[in-house]
Amino acid sequence: MFEALTPVSDMLTRNLDILSRQPLLVCGLLEDGLPGLLAEAGPAPRVFTTDFRYFQWQQAQGLADIEFGTSPAPGTAAGLLLLMPKAKAEAEYLLAACLPLLAAGAPVFIAGDNKGGVKSAPKLLAPYCEQVNKLDSARRASLYQAELTTLPAPFGLADWVSRYPLEEEQLQICALPGVFSAAHLDSGSRLLLKTITSLKGRVLDFGCGAGVIGASLLKRNADMTLECIDINALALEASRTTLAENRLDAKVYPSDGLSQVSGKFNHIITNPPFHAGLKTFYHTTETLLSSAADYLLPGGSLILVANAFLPYPELIEKSFGHCETLAATGKFKIYRARR
Ligand SMILES: C[S@@+](CC[C@H](N)C(=O)[O-])C[C@H]1O[C@@H](n2cnc3c(N)ncnc32)[C@H](O)[C@@H]1O
């Protein structure tokens, strides 16, 4: 899945002499074996990722110095390479989390796809660097370089938590940059929460994001225990914060699909990952639909919301032998299948 070199990394291979002069802290949109290329060209980088799937893949490759979490562990780094993430707010967050590891004068690089917001690199670096230069541009990707001149304040995760109220539920939903639906309840999730009001037993919130589905159900249902999984460290932390601030208790842990889940559930509930054009997201949901029955107790159910146009009913029928449509709007449908 991460085998092919992205156009951004391809462009970076032309700049390995500069990039590998010092051991870099590398973070952001990591989607290939770039850390290995850097390690071949010079000192091995330290890699920090918020993506559990990438973390597991790099660990399997034997890359020792990779961390998964919300911010890199304290320490020092001789320079930073930020691969521009999809959301600008996430780039700001990653700079704030990683730059405190650098000393004044250390090099800071930002690389990314021209269509992915890399052009905002000078603006993003303005609070930290006096001058930002464009070092290279090829294959629709660009590389910017700067020198750290203004030492950043120590990083505090709490400063990055945003909140919105869910009035009907009397809940406060907490999110972090880049987390799905960070500023308001997604309309698909809203329909799911309107359709499914009571659940009992062991429940899994698959792809929990800011924890809105799990926290809402837990608040309404005393006879329920909750587990929340996501691939993204910032989503997991947002869910933990949402649960804690609303005095709710659940087990929250990273998992790529159902890979880290053990035992069987009474219900698996989800607004699953989707993104037109990104094959991996369909793959995650397709795998969930075909394997969920193995993770359900007899009589247990898989309940999901999906865009009405997605071909999920056929996949659910193939795996469960049936698929109920519990609710439908022009845009979304709620499906349920029982084991
Ligand atoms: C559509 S969002 C739903 C978030 C939240 N449940 C809500 O309703 O607002 C899907 C979530 O799935 C997560 N996700 C993506 N790929 C995943 C995977 N392979 N395994 C687990 N979670 C994944 C994303 O990080 C995202 O938080």
Side-chain angles (χ1 to χ4, degrees):
M1 177 176 305
F2 296 113
E3 305 300 335
L5 220 51
T6 64
V8 176
S9 293
D10 206 26
M11 182 257 315
L12 291 178
T13 56
R14 314 194 319 182
N15 297 279
L16 284 176
D17 53 334
I18 297 173
L19 293 169
S20 61
R21 270 182 208 154
Q22 58 287 301
L24 290 174
L25 172 61
V26 182
C27 68
L29 190 63
L30 285 149
E31 293 182 308
D32 60 15
L34 176 69
L37 290 180
L38 290 168
E40 274 168 29
R46 175 177 165 184
V47 184
F48 162 64
T49 182
T50 57
D51 178 344
F52 190 63
R53 182 178 4 213
Y54 188 78
F55 171 70
Q56 284 190 308
W57 180 73
Q58 277 287 358
Q59 273 201 323
Q61 305 288 302
L63 187 85
D65 207 358
I66 179 152
E67 296 170 60
F68 166 78
T70 51
S71 59
T76 53
L80 177 70
L81 169 60
L82 170 69
L83 297 156
M84 192 66 193
K86 292 202 178 76
K88 190 171 159 233
E90 200 179 333
E92 289 167 344
Y93 171 93
L94 289 172
L95 287 172
C98 294
L99 286 175
L101 276 69
L102 272 57
V108 182
F109 302 96
I110 298 187
D113 194 290
N114 290 342
K115 285 195 187 140
V118 71
K119 288 177 186 158
S120 62
K123 227 178 182 177
L124 285 166
L125 289 172
Y128 311 108
C129 307
E130 267 162 28
Q131 205 189 325
V132 181
N133 301 315
K134 192 169 186 178
L135 212 60
D136 199 4
S137 183
R139 300 203 55 204
R140 302 188 323 272
S142 300
L143 171 64
Y144 291 83
Q145 179 189 31
E147 194 182 287
L148 184 65
T149 44
T150 308
L151 287 178
F155 176 68
L157 186 75
D159 301 339
W160 294 85
V161 176
S162 60
R163 292 174 178 80
Y164 72 87
L166 208 62
E167 261 138 35
E168 318 88 271
E169 316 281 346
Q170 296 188 327
L171 281 174
Q172 189 80 342
I173 306 302
C174 304
L176 283 163
V179 172
F180 177 81
S181 213
H184 54 82
L185 178 62
D186 172 68
S187 43
S189 303
R190 181 182 298 281
L191 181 65
L192 184 61
L193 287 171
K194 208 174 113 194
T195 311
I196 302 298
T197 47
S198 72
L199 288 181
K200 268 189 193 167
R202 189 178 179 219
V203 175
L204 179 70
D205 180 352
F206 179 99
C208 56
V212 62
I213 293 177
S216 301
L217 290 170
L218 198 55
K219 175 125 192 206
R220 294 179 203 162
N221 295 286
D223 298 344
M224 186 184 129
T225 57
L226 175 68
E227 292 184 24
C228 300
I229 57 165
D230 204 287
I231 204 171
N232 181 293
L234 299 181
L236 292 165
E237 189 59 29
S239 283
R240 285 188 197 106
T241 313
T242 294
L243 290 159
E245 290 201 2
N246 293 286
R247 288 171 218 234
L248 296 167
D249 193 29
K251 187 176 167 195
V252 182
Y253 54 99
S255 184
D256 176 11
L258 294 164
S259 65
Q260 307 298 308
V261 162
S262 60
K264 298 195 183 217
F265 293 85
N266 295 93
H267 306 281
I268 299 176
I269 187 151
T270 184
N271 178 349
F274 63 92
H275 211 287
L278 281 188
K279 267 200 208 138
T280 52
F281 281 7
Y282 286 124
H283 174 75
T284 297
T285 304
E286 283 168 13
T287 310
L288 169 71
L289 301 184
S290 64
S291 60
D294 299 337
Y295 292 81
L296 287 171
L297 291 160
S301 64
L302 168 70
I303 307 161
L304 66 138
V305 58
N307 271 291
F309 70 85
L310 290 168
Y312 292 163
E314 296 92 274
L315 294 172
I316 297 170
E317 268 166 32
K318 207 167 147 201
S319 166
F320 285 82
H322 69 279
C323 174
E324 276 176 86
T325 301
L326 298 181
T329 62
K331 198 168 171 202
F332 296 109
K333 288 192 176 171
I334 308 293
Y335 301 117
R336 179 170 66 190
R338 289 186 200 272
R339 205 197 123 186

